[in-house]
Amino acid sequence: MWFPTFGAWLNEEMAVCESRSRKPEPHAVIVPFPVQGHINPMMHLAHNLASNGFIITFVNTVYNNSGTVKAHRKWSSELGEAGNERVCFRAIPDGLPEDDMRTDFARLARVTETAMPPSLQKLIQEINDEEEHQVTCLIADFFAPWALDVAQQFHIQTAGFWPGIIAAYALIYHMPDLMARGSIPSNGIPKKQEMVKYFAHMPSLCSANLPWLIGSEADKEFRFQFWLRSISRFRHLRWIVCNSFHDLEMDIINTFPKEAGICSIGPLIPQTAQKETETEKEECLQWLDRQKRGCVIYVSFGSSVVLKEKEVEQLAEGLEATRRPFLWVLRGVEKFLSVAYLERLRERACMPSWVPQARVLSHPSVGCFLTHCGWNSTLESIAAGVPMLCRPCVADQFLNAAYVVDVWKIGVALKTNSEGIVGKIEIEESVQRIMSSDEVQENSRKLKKCAVDAHARNDIMVGSSSINFNVFLNAMKTNM
Ligand SMILES: O=c1ccn([C@@H]2O[C@H](COP(=O)(O)OP(=O)(O)O[C@H]3O[C@H](CO)[C@@H](O)[C@H](O)[C@H]3O)[C@@H](O)[C@H]2O)c(=O)[nH]1
């Protein structure tokens, strides 16, 4: 028979006592819809929670895991936050074949809805069985509603995450009223194309540009039903964390009853690097350093919009005609540009395939942003005080653009021609208009201050997003 020595026995007993007395730490599982515009703000939320004592399991798909981990490493070293080591990435399959480009939202939403829940369930079970700190809560992207059903099986508390403009959430939240009033038909697809004011506090929107109206008729209907299914689950949650801020969408936030749980904590965007040597700096930032203050046109269409060849050609000519320096993120459209063009503009333009956008926008040389108005791009531009030239293409981008142009008055709309594209002259004239508009420049400066104030936490004031985040944080910690 084996007898432990007294020392070994004592050590074991002490270890047991220590682990019993150690307080369990809050452990949040974060589930984004697996596309860039959703992962980025949720990763920022993850960082904020980790810096405030949470352990984070960030759920990626096998397809996007390595890119996300790489971005996190870069980002966390820039932020220098000690808590970032507390973020752990786990990858589960999304159900699509490896070689699928995953550009079709409807297909991705359909497949993930059935493929991901069993793997998420297994993952949480494994964490609870093997790790020191059990999962205490789950934060699900509105576009990954299936994650809420998994959380329910574990009886953990849940919160929702809305990655876009709150006004778009208002459209779906108030859908029963909108349908009863006849503003939106029961299949979500309006019969007539007309300008509609869906709410008193929302700018008019063309009925053909409602955020779920993308692709074929079947796709539109699928998306609308998907939104309706999702809202039926999210409407009962106590917290809907939103990437926006109170002063930006005050009027629309006030249309929600308290039980809707709207909690604006934005803008959730990457910070600029604190220290950096010249050689570490991205080439595009070095190029910006060489340009005059407020002169550069920054052009980018986010991670999913692809312009037609004809529009790329018009854009190229329009930018050239402005006679200004420009930084254009090409992301694959270089095949539509001639060698002669690239050669001619070599001195005046910088055309990489990717840039650290938040840092580009906060560079003093940038004077305006020609954008597709994806919500993250819009917020990053607001936070940097950069006026926008709006070329919305799909989904919520039309609503975002309407706010930029008609409500906040920090940008101008680029008009499409009879072929549905923006022509060269429209670009040239709009750049001139925005660069010389004192009103737009002044409004952009004011809104930038509001965005900074939202996160303020000092002796003089505490911003609305800081307050909301703290309330949310404490609720998630205390209800463990
Ligand atoms: O060279 C680049 C290009 C993009 N980005 C970043 O990528 C993100 C792009 O996000 P967003 O501007 O929201 O565009 P999409 O990727 O197109 O976003 C999708 O998701 C958004 C949030 O739901 C929606 O508003 C959009 O309509 C939808 O297309 C932003 O954070 C950019 O800073 C870079 O850092 N560098």
Side-chain angles (χ1 to χ4, degrees), residues 35-38 40-41 143 163-165 269-270 298 300-305 329 331 353-358 361 369 371-378 380 394-397 400:
V35 297
Q36 182 101 56
H38 294 232
N40 286 3
F143 295 87
I165 188 167
I269 50 180
Y298 171 56
S300 173
F301 288 87
S303 64
S304 53
V305 165
V329 182
R331 271 198 61 249
S353 58
W354 187 90
V355 299
Q357 181 168 292
L361 282 167
F369 179 16
T371 169
H372 71 311
C373 298
W375 183 240
N376 297 292
S377 294
T378 305
E380 287 159 18
V394 285
D396 59 337
Q397 294 158 18
N400 302 340

Side-chain angles (χ1 to χ4, degrees), residues 39-51:
I39 294 167
N40 286 3
M42 288 194 91
M43 185 140 75
H44 198 74
L45 170 65
H47 283 205
N48 288 350
L49 289 169
S51 310

Side-chain angles (χ1 to χ4, degrees), residues 55-317:
I55 292 168
I56 303 291
T57 295
F58 197 92
V59 182
N60 284 324
T61 60
V62 173
Y63 182 79
N64 67 29
N65 192 46
S66 66
T68 310
V69 173
K70 225 159 80 189
H72 163 79
R73 286 215 190 98
K74 196 157 182 208
W75 204 356
S76 53
S77 66
E78 283 179 359
L79 284 169
E81 288 170 5
N84 287 331
E85 276 160 23
R86 301 165 70 92
V87 181
C88 165
F89 291 90
R90 300 289 285 264
I92 58 180
D94 61 11
L96 284 170
E98 212 177 308
D99 59 352
D100 190 294
M101 292 305 287
R102 289 152 172 88
T103 45
D104 180 347
F105 171 93
R107 183 165 141 80
L108 191 57
R110 249 186 225 113
V111 174
T112 49
E113 208 168 7
T114 45
M116 292 183 79
S119 309
L120 180 64
Q121 203 248 352
K122 193 161 160 265
L123 172 66
I124 297 179
Q125 193 60 57
E126 265 170 32
I127 295 172
N128 286 349
D129 290 344
E130 292 162 19
E131 292 186 17
E132 189 185 348
H133 300 289
Q134 302 231 323
V135 175
T136 57
C137 62
L138 182 142
I139 304 175
D141 189 330
F142 183 86
F143 295 87
W146 44 266
L148 296 178
D149 300 340
V150 177
Q152 215 170 19
Q153 295 169 28
F154 291 92
H155 307 289
I156 48 179
Q157 63 165 335
T158 44
F161 181 81
W162 176 255
I165 188 167
I166 296 177
Y169 189 77
L171 278 173
I172 197 73
Y173 185 87
H174 296 298
M175 192 52 69
D177 290 347
L178 292 170
M179 281 175 166
R181 273 199 265 139
S183 307
I184 292 175
S186 58
N187 68 353
I189 309 175
K191 289 194 179 63
K192 271 196 293 181
Q193 191 165 320
E194 57 188 342
M195 292 304 285
V196 180
K197 201 161 176 63
Y198 290 99
F199 299 111
H201 298 296
M202 193 183 272
S204 296
L205 186 69
C206 176
S207 55
N209 292 338
L210 284 162
W212 51 85
L213 300 178
I214 306 171
S216 66
E217 292 293 291
D219 274 353
K220 287 176 186 165
E221 204 158 339
F222 168 79
R223 280 172 187 258
F224 182 65
Q225 292 307 330
F226 180 83
W227 277 48
L228 285 181
R229 277 203 307 280
S230 198
I231 194 69
S232 69
R233 290 160 166 170
F234 277 70
R235 140 180 329 276
H236 308 293
L237 296 181
R238 214 179 123 208
W239 299 98
I240 303 294
V241 178
C242 303
N243 185 15
S244 185
F245 57 98
H246 186 264
D247 283 1
L248 192 65
E249 294 199 74
M250 194 185 322
D251 288 344
I252 211 80
I253 291 173
N254 291 339
T255 67
F256 287 94
K258 197 166 179 292
E259 62 271 17
I262 298 297
C263 176
S264 56
I265 61 162
L268 293 168
I269 50 180
Q271 312 293 305
T272 47
Q274 284 157 347
K275 277 191 213 122
E276 190 173 51
T277 64
E278 267 315 291
T279 43
E280 279 168 348
K281 221 182 221 178
E282 311 271 344
E283 215 171 287
C284 63
L285 295 170
Q286 295 184 28
W287 180 85
L288 281 172
D289 286 346
R290 296 195 292 274
Q291 311 306 317
K292 283 201 201 114
R293 198 180 173 85
C295 263
V296 173
I297 309 162
Y298 171 56
V299 186
S300 173
F301 288 87
S303 64
S304 53
V305 165
V306 183
L307 294 182
K308 290 185 196 144
E309 179 170 0
K310 189 92 185 276
E311 184 153 3
V312 175
E313 285 165 7
Q314 290 293 304
L315 177 56
E317 288 181 28

Side-chain angles (χ1 to χ4, degrees), residues 20-36:
R20 279 193 194 132
S21 62
R22 204 179 299 153
K23 217 172 159 266
E25 295 191 41
H27 185 160
V29 169
I30 296 192
V31 188
F33 186 72
V35 297
Q36 182 101 56

